[in-house]
Amino acid sequence: MGPLSTWIGTRLGRWLSHERHQHEATPVVSRAALADALSPGDVLLVDGSTRISTAIKYLTQSTWSHAALYIGNDGAQAHQFIEADLVEGVRQVGLDTFAGRHCRICRPVGLSPEEIDALVAFARRRLGNRYDLRNVVDLARYLLPMPPLPVRWRRRMIALGSGDPTRAICSTLIAECFHSVRYPILPMVEQRDDTRPDCPGCVAEILHIRHHSLFAPRDFDVSPYFRIVKPALAPGFDPHAVVWSDERP
């Protein structure tokens, strides 16, 4: 992209990143409960309230418009994440960045501490990379009045960027991180005949990595390979201890 396109993309990115008031019908998890439930390698999904969040939610038909990778503590900085910000690019932020937002924790299963370290290291090497500004222009179009798009087309509408590996959007950055340690998200599954004398009629499933540009925040939620962690349930939940408004103390 040339200097003029970059200038336009940056200004447009700032406009799209503007926070708007959003009525929250879903209870927000407290900061302390969220902090206690997180583990390095977790993916935090966020229900955003910016203009670009509207476009992402429309295209993916999902509540989730943003994703960040939890990396744990970094020296004196506690509860740190790596995310791709529309204006600032790939950056490291604290838990307060997501205060007051409806969030969901998606946790990979079965990764060793060494693999989690490799995952985090891969994300750290991306710090300073820029957001794919061509995606900004593409996403902005879906804030304008337009005929509804067929659902089958919407997924690929988020993959119209330049494909420059030094640029990223939030979900593709995290998808690349997990692909670097060969952890599945939503792979394409090929079934092959695997009949053997000891197993007649057996079928082998071969997983193929889907290109990282095709991933959206919701994919970590619907993936069969990520466990959903709910902070309200993590420390233990007693439904009998709930005080309802129609009950007298």
Side-chain angles (χ1 to χ4, degrees):
M1 298 179 71
L4 178 60
S5 298
T6 300
W7 184 86
I8 293 173
T10 301
R11 296 301 183 277
L12 182 58
R14 293 185 185 281
W15 180 78
L16 290 171
S17 297
H18 181 72
E19 293 281 347
R20 300 182 301 172
H21 173 73
Q22 177 175 296
H23 175 69
E24 292 287 352
T26 306
V28 176
V29 178
S30 70
R31 184 189 187 282
L34 190 60
D36 289 343
L38 285 163
S39 180
D42 286 350
V43 178
L44 185 72
L45 303 183
V46 184
D47 180 3
S49 60
T50 62
R51 291 187 174 100
I52 198 169
S53 297
T54 302
I56 294 174
K57 291 177 187 179
Y58 168 75
L59 291 175
T60 62
Q61 292 294 282
S62 170
T63 298
W64 312 114
S65 59
H66 186 64
L69 180 70
Y70 182 64
I71 63 172
N73 298 337
D74 184 10
Q77 296 178 303
H79 308 305
Q80 296 293 294
F81 295 82
I82 291 179
E83 66 166 8
D85 179 73
L86 192 60
V87 177
E88 303 297 331
V90 181
R91 63 179 184 172
Q92 184 171 315
V93 297
L95 185 57
D96 289 339
T97 302
F98 310 110
R101 298 258 61 88
H102 176 42
C103 300
R104 171 162 293 172
I105 299 172
C106 301
R107 177 166 298 163
V109 176
L111 289 179
S112 67
E114 293 75 21
E115 288 170 318
I116 293 293
D117 289 343
L119 175 76
V120 170
F122 185 94
R124 287 185 187 279
R125 290 195 294 270
R126 273 37 185 190
L127 288 171
N129 288 357
R130 307 301 301 173
Y131 205 97
D132 195 332
L133 296 177
R134 194 170 301 180
N135 281 80
V136 173
V137 177
D138 292 329
L139 289 169
R141 295 182 304 175
Y142 302 104
L143 295 175
L144 304 176
M146 61 174 295
L149 278 173
V151 173
R152 66 181 182 276
W153 292 356
R154 293 177 186 173
R155 169 55 62 95
R156 291 188 176 271
M157 293 298 101
I158 64 171
L160 295 176
S162 66
D164 184 342
T166 65
R167 297 173 180 267
I169 62 175
C170 64
S171 48
T172 63
L173 166 70
I174 298 175
E176 283 188 283
C177 293
F178 281 98
H179 286 170
S180 72
V181 295
R182 301 190 67 79
Y183 191 85
I185 303 169
L186 280 179
M188 294 176 288
V189 180
E190 175 190 358
Q191 293 189 338
R192 296 179 183 175
D193 179 66
D194 192 31
T195 298
R196 304 185 301 272
D198 61 332
C199 186
C202 281
V203 175
E205 288 189 346
I206 309 299
L207 303 186
H208 297 272
I209 293 177
R210 194 185 303 270
H211 193 268
H212 60 264
S213 68
L214 296 177
F215 282 94
R218 70 177 291 274
D219 292 334
F220 298 94
D221 187 12
V222 301
S223 170
Y225 307 108
F226 283 78
R227 178 181 293 129
I228 303 303
V229 179
K230 297 190 175 183
L233 302 181
F237 174 68
D238 181 5
H240 305 100
V242 175
V243 178
W244 296 97
S245 61
D246 61 349
E247 294 177 342
R248 293 181 178 276

